[in-house]
Amino acid sequence: MVGFGAAARVAALRLEKDPAHVRDLADRLVSRLEAKQVRLQRNTTGSHQLPGSLSLRFFGVDAPSLIDALANSVCLSEGSACTSGQIQPSHVLSAMSFTESEMRETVRIYCGRYNGCSEIDYAADAIADAIRRMTLAHWSDPPVRSVNEGRSR
């Protein structure tokens, strides 16, 4: 019982500090991504989100590909928590009037009690680098030619 009482006291102290800490980390992540000129949209803000949680849309970036590219270094999820791991589109993002294309550009990121600024900075750098590589790969692909293009008649 003594251990439970001590744990309850710690939890009560953390209850005030944790939301501010994780909110600051989430804001830091977004700020660093924006400073690196990553084109993004923060889908929810303020009281409409759980402290430390981010729903970010990266314009022109396929979320599943980004998640795969970062699988060994940064934990990201696709869509909304309600449909994580499902093939169907998120009903939450649909209710927010997202198109299927916009939903495919959306990832979830959580900053937690035990995360620190260095981890957030690492995540921002890794995400920005992965998006840059994906974007460069997309733009460096040779143009698709039709079967008849270039043939003389």
Side-chain angles (χ1 to χ4, degrees):
M1 290 303 264
V2 172
F4 181 76
R9 277 191 297 283
V10 169
L13 291 172
R14 297 299 314 189
L15 194 60
E16 293 177 16
K17 294 178 182 176
D18 283 348
H21 171 69
V22 296
R23 202 174 287 118
D24 289 346
L25 292 176
D27 290 343
R28 181 184 183 99
L29 179 65
V30 171
S31 293
R32 283 191 64 98
L33 290 170
E34 289 173 338
K36 292 181 171 290
Q37 299 180 352
V38 173
R39 294 182 56 233
L40 64 88
Q41 169 184 309
R42 197 169 182 166
N43 296 328
T44 57
T45 58
S47 64
H48 298 288
Q49 72 181 45
L50 184 66
S53 72
L54 290 168
S55 174
L56 299 176
R57 177 179 168 219
F58 295 111
F59 294 96
V61 175
D62 182 64
S65 298
L66 179 61
I67 292 166
D68 287 345
L70 295 167
N72 293 325
S73 58
V74 178
C75 294
L76 304 174
S77 302
E78 185 180 359
S80 68
C82 301
T83 57
S84 183
Q86 297 179 15
I87 296 173
Q88 63 193 14
S90 163
H91 68 276
V92 173
L93 295 176
S94 293
M96 294 171 65
S97 300
F98 278 58
T99 65
E100 284 194 36
S101 175
E102 291 168 336
M103 286 186 242
R104 283 195 61 83
E105 297 173 338
T106 297
V107 298
R108 288 181 298 125
I109 305 170
Y110 292 97
C111 304
R113 167 192 291 182
Y114 301 109
N115 292 126
C117 291
S118 63
E119 293 167 307
I120 296 305
D121 295 347
Y122 174 85
D125 292 346
I127 292 167
D129 289 346
I131 289 173
R132 191 172 300 107
R133 283 191 310 274
M134 292 169 69
T135 304
L136 288 174
H138 172 74
W139 288 108
S140 65
D141 287 342
V144 177
R145 295 181 167 217
S146 70
V147 175
N148 294 323
E149 189 174 337
R151 291 186 182 171
S152 59
R153 292 188 186 234

